[in-house]
Amino acid sequence: MEQFTEEHAKLLISKEWLAKVDTARGIPYLLKFHFSLADLSCCVLITDTKSVWAEVLTSKLLARRWRVCNSSSPEPFAKTSDEEAWREQTLELLSNVHTIGGISELSFETVTSDYSDLAIELECEIFKWRWETCFLGYQRSSELISKHLIFPLISLNHLAFSSPEGISELSDADVERAIDKVGRTARRTIDTHIKNALAKPRLSTSIRRMSSMFNFVPDLPPVVSIAETPPLHISHVELDEVDGRVPVKSGPEQRNTVPPKPTSDAAAQRHANTEAPTKGHPESATESEDDEPMPDQRQTKLPSPTRLPTEQREVIAPTPSLKAAVSPPTSQTKEPSPDSGSPPQRPTKKAKPAVPSSSDEESEDDRKKRGGSTGVKRGTRQPIKRGGKRF
């Protein structure tokens, strides 16, 4: 089987569409036929406006197909010239069949075939013919339908709607001149031509209404001749807060405003637990300060007063309240009364005197105030030996 090429598609452009209907299935088909007497070949293009099928027959395939469809045909001739003359007559008969006047005299039917994608039979009282076509693919089908059918129909509709007189009232010569004029303008810039054709309100709305009729739309759209320009601006409307939504603001404030991030339930619960003691118990702040542990004295080492200037030693000198807290109480333990039944308590052992730290030593200024200033410059200070603490 020969391949359907782009050259065959170009040869079919100048051929008319032939319409036939498969009455058993109710599907309309459109056909285009081309033949060449130079090499006694022919080709056919068939579409249902969705898919495209095609077949190309050489001289040998043409003769073989005809003899298969018509059993009364003569056998192959011995002379080559006689065989070629018979094939030429058969091809001319097929060309006459594939015309607007000839196709109407034959019946049309799609049949099942094991050798092709779409097989159709054309039959009359004298002969029968069969096409075994193959599917060309969806991309190729759309290209062929667009070039051979859709664009020409759009241009003809443009001509029909823009003509001052009805096309049906014009003569064939006038229609030819009108088509040539529109075609010469359209082929220069096809894109602009299609846009201008469909931009006409009456043509566009007529196609819309026809499409609605074919697809059983209940409310048919009207056909209008004037298209009004709708308002093409955006109105800024401020919305009130509904269901917790923030009202819309227009202007530069909207660009600078950042909406607060929503707080999750877990984060809100932790925040509430943190603020609860302060809000419920005012004295909790004081309690938290009292309960705070004292820093470890071993970790916080104060510099020795012998190595610091006088002003700094005065700052770090222990306060009397701290001495009072360190010294043991002076009052003696009261002995229980002999009349009470409880046994006498043992005397409390005296606590050993705490080793005075460097911070307990008196500063030089304190000693000067207590003992008086002698005015004698002394050398390196020696630690003062003290006895036990007085009670």
Side-chain angles (χ1 to χ4, degrees), residues 4 10 30 33 58 86 89 101 115 120 129 165 173 185 187 189 197 217-218 224 236 279 330 339 385 387 389:
F4 183 85
K10 291 180 179 180
L30 302 178
F33 176 81
T58 60
W86 176 82
Q89 293 177 1
Y115 309 102
I120 62 173
W129 181 250
E165 299 179 3
T185 306
R187 66 186 179 184
T189 53
V217 176
V224 296
H236 298 276
K279 295 180 180 179
T330 56
D339 297 337
K385 294 181 180 181
K389 289 184 178 286

Side-chain angles (χ1 to χ4, degrees), residues 191-266:
D191 51 351
T192 306
H193 168 69
I194 297 299
K195 184 197 71 171
N196 294 335
L198 293 178
K200 293 188 175 182
R202 176 169 288 187
L203 174 58
S204 181
T205 55
S206 297
I207 296 176
R208 176 183 64 176
R209 189 175 182 88
M210 186 62 70
S211 301
S212 302
M213 284 291 299
F214 271 113
N215 294 276
F216 302 96
V217 176
D219 298 330
L220 296 177
V223 176
V224 296
S225 300
I226 300 175
E228 298 180 358
T229 303
L232 302 177
H233 64 274
I234 301 175
S235 59
H236 298 276
V237 180
E238 296 185 359
L239 303 177
D240 295 335
E241 184 175 355
V242 179
D243 298 335
R245 293 179 294 179
V246 181
V248 179
K249 296 181 179 180
S250 60
E253 297 179 1
Q254 185 179 4
R255 295 191 298 268
N256 299 332
T257 304
V258 179
K261 296 182 179 179
T263 307
S264 59
D265 296 340

Side-chain angles (χ1 to χ4, degrees), residues 85-320:
W86 176 82
R87 293 179 183 179
E88 185 177 347
Q89 293 177 1
T90 304
L91 185 59
E92 289 179 354
L93 178 59
L94 279 178
S95 64
N96 294 333
V97 169
H98 291 84
T99 58
I100 298 175
I103 198 70
S104 60
E105 300 295 330
L106 280 76
S107 63
F108 180 91
E109 184 183 4
T110 58
V111 295
T112 305
S113 175
D114 297 332
Y115 309 102
S116 62
D117 298 326
L118 177 65
I120 62 173
E121 285 187 354
L122 301 173
E123 187 176 0
C124 65
E125 296 179 358
I126 302 175
F127 65 91
K128 180 192 298 186
W129 181 250
R130 183 188 183 98
W131 287 110
E132 299 277 356
T133 60
C134 295
F135 179 53
L136 298 181
Y138 292 104
Q139 182 176 359
R140 189 79 182 281
S141 298
S142 61
E143 293 176 356
L144 291 172
I145 292 174
S146 175
K147 183 181 294 185
H148 289 254
L149 189 62
I150 294 179
F151 276 10
L153 284 179
I154 292 176
S155 299
L156 284 176
N157 285 330
H158 169 68
L159 174 62
F161 278 84
S162 61
S163 177
E165 299 179 3
I167 298 297
S168 59
E169 299 177 358
L170 298 177
S171 62
D172 295 342
D174 293 337
V175 173
E176 289 178 0
R177 285 191 292 268
I179 292 174
D180 296 344
K181 182 179 180 180
V182 173
R184 282 192 295 268
T185 306
R187 66 186 179 184
R188 296 183 189 136
T189 53
I190 298 179
D191 51 351
T192 306
H193 168 69
I194 297 299
K195 184 197 71 171
N196 294 335
L198 293 178
K200 293 188 175 182
R202 176 169 288 187
L203 174 58
S204 181
T205 55
S206 297
I207 296 176
R208 176 183 64 176
R209 189 175 182 88
M210 186 62 70
S211 301
S212 302
M213 284 291 299
F214 271 113
N215 294 276
F216 302 96
V217 176
D219 298 330
L220 296 177
V223 176
V224 296
S225 300
I226 300 175
E228 298 180 358
T229 303
L232 302 177
H233 64 274
I234 301 175
S235 59
H236 298 276
V237 180
E238 296 185 359
L239 303 177
D240 295 335
E241 184 175 355
V242 179
D243 298 335
R245 293 179 294 179
V246 181
V248 179
K249 296 181 179 180
S250 60
E253 297 179 1
Q254 185 179 4
R255 295 191 298 268
N256 299 332
T257 304
V258 179
K261 296 182 179 179
T263 307
S264 59
D265 296 340
Q269 185 65 25
R270 291 196 300 268
H271 185 67
N273 294 339
T274 306
E275 294 183 354
T278 306
K279 295 180 180 179
H281 303 281
E283 66 276 10
S284 59
T286 307
E287 294 176 359
S288 61
E289 293 177 0
D290 296 341
D291 296 340
E292 185 177 358
M294 296 292 293
D296 192 356
Q297 294 182 359
R298 291 174 297 178
Q299 297 181 359
T300 306
K301 294 183 179 181
L302 297 177
S304 176
T306 58
R307 298 182 183 180
L308 295 177
T310 306
E311 293 80 7
Q312 295 185 7
R313 287 198 300 271
E314 291 178 0
V315 173
I316 64 175
T319 58

Side-chain angles (χ1 to χ4, degrees), residues 63 66-67 70-77 82-83 86 89-90:
W66 186 272
R67 289 187 171 98
N70 302 278
S71 58
S72 60
S73 300
E75 295 295 329
F77 294 91
D82 296 340
E83 180 67 21
W86 176 82
Q89 293 177 1
T90 304

